[in-house]
Amino acid sequence: MVFVLEDLSSIRTLARGKKMNKWLGNWAFYQQEQFLSYKAEALGKRVVHQDPRYTSQKCNVCKHIKRTNRKKSRFCCKNCGHRTHADLNAARNVRDDYILSSTQNGTEEQASVNAPYVSGEITLA
């Protein structure tokens, strides 16, 4: 078993407003990761990090990416209509991106998964 976490190392460097930066600064991501790593190692499991780009905007069903798919804790895909809790959708995307990146043939597909955000939306096949 593998525990896949978003790589949140740069989350404190982004400008998100005074209130949000203070809240994020008080949350001990590193400490949580250390606890999980310690417990996982004791059970013979591993912890890996995955690029979090677009995981909250991408539909985990059709892979359509659009900024307006997520509104607070609700996720509703503008392409296929899939509805779920936004955090559950993002967690499934983190899992799926890790699986894709860990396959031998995943190198070409992985490049398209993590393509930079250029316009208002990106559609992945």
Side-chain angles (χ1 to χ4, degrees), residues 12 26-37:
R12 290 188 176 108
N26 289 331
W27 194 25
F29 295 115
Y30 180 76
Q31 185 178 21
Q32 179 185 10
E33 178 187 337
Q34 294 303 304
F35 289 153
L36 180 61
S37 297

Side-chain angles (χ1 to χ4, degrees), residues 12-81:
R12 290 188 176 108
T13 61
L14 301 173
R16 298 181 186 269
K18 186 176 180 180
K19 186 175 181 180
M20 181 61 86
N21 284 343
K22 183 177 180 180
W23 181 77
L24 290 173
N26 289 331
W27 194 25
F29 295 115
Y30 180 76
Q31 185 178 21
Q32 179 185 10
E33 178 187 337
Q34 294 303 304
F35 289 153
L36 180 61
S37 297
Y38 170 76
K39 293 292 187 181
E41 185 179 326
L43 297 171
K45 314 296 182 201
R46 34 184 211 124
V47 175
V48 296
H49 293 88
Q50 184 64 33
D51 186 355
R53 288 182 290 180
Y54 311 113
T55 55
S56 64
Q57 300 172 11
K58 178 170 55 173
C59 175
N60 73 294
V61 174
C62 72
K63 306 305 181 199
H64 178 78
I65 298 174
K66 190 163 186 172
R67 187 175 300 211
T68 58
N69 282 345
R70 180 177 182 153
K71 290 188 180 169
K72 298 191 180 184
S73 65
R74 296 180 188 159
F75 183 89
C76 180
C77 180
K78 304 296 184 201
N79 187 50
C80 71

